[in-house]
Amino acid sequence: MCIRDRTNDELAAQVDTSDEWIVQRTGIRKRHFAGKDEKTSDLAIHAARAALESAGLRGTDIDLIVLATATPDQTFPATATRVQAALGMENGIAFDVQAVCSGFIYALAVADNFVRVGQAKNALVIGAETFSRILDWEDRTTSVLFGDGAGAVVLSAEAGEGTSADHGVLTTHLHSDGRHHDLLYVDGGVSSTRTVGHVRMAGREVFKHAVVRLAEVVDEALEATGLDAADIDWLVPHQANKRIIDAMAKKLDLDIARVVMTVDQHANTSAASVPLALDVAVRDGRIRPGHLVLMEAMGGGFTWASALVRW
Ligand code: UT7
């Protein structure tokens, strides 16, 4: 892959900003940008292959791909179908889900429900984005915040006891409220401007909503399972801003050492942020089988969501 690092100082040579401002306000130190010819599907395929390898499965074992993205290769067909073809998967179904930064948890919930009703046995859930393609380099309030990336997990059907000791997805909670459309959006689109557009965000407003909504949706997940914040082994939050993540840890009275923080390395990668953080913590041995993992995210729409998973 020719995806490459871009530090805050490199951006500061291009935009009226500074490493100090970005680190203080967001915790971001660098981000990755896809190469000129690299598409969201290329990143997704890379992540999908890594997830299959970890699961000991082949593409032909997968019967469902749900890919979360707000930056698809093309308007249609779904980017997920590109991944399907690349994995040599001739059967099953593949489609995209669009919930911006909450996309991965939405996709996880969709796949989990397919598995629960018996419509899928092995599902690949992917979050993949090339946000660098929709950044306005004249706008310092948004351009320094985002990065490109992809992450993926495999969900497999397995009988459980129906208790919180089961492995896999224990509960998911999804919300949206379209009244906040104009606080975080892209100012272009197929049926409006016929262009791709750029990210626009009222950052301070989004920040306020995020802290409140994320706290609510995390409580919902704990209530639904009868678990307590003290039971959580790892909080894997959407990586938009270190200050939002710190606020969530404080709200849950969770030691910051139990929070997976990758915003410094990846910046905000939208639907890819939660699976990328998961990948880092699984590979470095922090998240281990049996651990209780709480994921949460919030994004444009607004959308917000949580998932409790027993690894
Ligand atoms: O992923 C979807 C969810 N998204 C989020 O959760 C993002 C939520 N919002 C945030 O993370 C924060 O609101 C931001 C990081 C976007 C902004 O931080 P802030 O502390 O809310 O800053 P602000 O927007 O209130 O701006 C403070 C100052 C302003 O200057 P004045 O008006 O105080 O003179 C901005 O013009 O910082 C200025 N500023 C910058 N300065 C240097 C804004 N962007 C930059 C920049 N470099 N890149």
Side-chain angles (χ1 to χ4, degrees), residues 67-135:
L67 187 150
T69 190
T71 47
D73 288 12
Q74 288 155 284
T75 304
F76 78 81
T79 302
T81 59
R82 288 255 184 216
V83 180
Q84 183 185 26
L87 297 182
M89 190 182 141
E90 291 174 10
N91 297 305
I93 49 172
F95 57 87
D96 291 356
V97 157
Q98 160 51 303
V100 208
C101 300
S102 312
F104 178 75
I105 301 179
Y106 268 59
L108 187 71
V110 170
D112 180 49
N113 287 322
F114 265 79
V115 170
R116 279 177 195 278
V117 299
Q119 275 190 282
K121 277 202 177 70
N122 292 310
L124 195 50
V125 183
I126 308 170
E129 303 277 17
T130 45
F131 253 58
S132 59
R133 306 287 149 76
I134 52 169
L135 297 178

Side-chain angles (χ1 to χ4, degrees), residues 15-18 21-22 25-26 101 140-141 144-146 184 201 203-204 206-207 210 238 240-241 243-244 268 298-300:
V15 184
D16 180 18
T17 190
S18 65
W21 189 94
I22 301 172
R25 302 288 177 132
T26 70
C101 300
R140 69 175 181 171
T141 69
V144 303
L145 304 175
F146 296 91
L184 177 49
M201 176 166 71
R204 218 174 299 182
V206 177
F207 191 106
H238 172 47
N241 189 319
R243 290 185 290 144
I244 297 176
N268 183 347
M298 193 223 172

Side-chain angles (χ1 to χ4, degrees), residues 1-6 10 31-44 46-47 129-130 132-133 148-150:
M1 306 234 86
C2 48
I3 195 158
R4 66 175 205 88
D5 283 4
R6 199 69 74 83
E10 283 177 87
R31 71 287 291 141
H32 299 86
F33 287 151
K36 196 166 68 66
D37 299 322
E38 228 163 13
K39 300 182 290 298
T40 293
S41 63
D42 295 315
L43 308 189
H46 191 78
E129 303 277 17
T130 45
S132 59
R133 306 287 149 76
D148 300 340

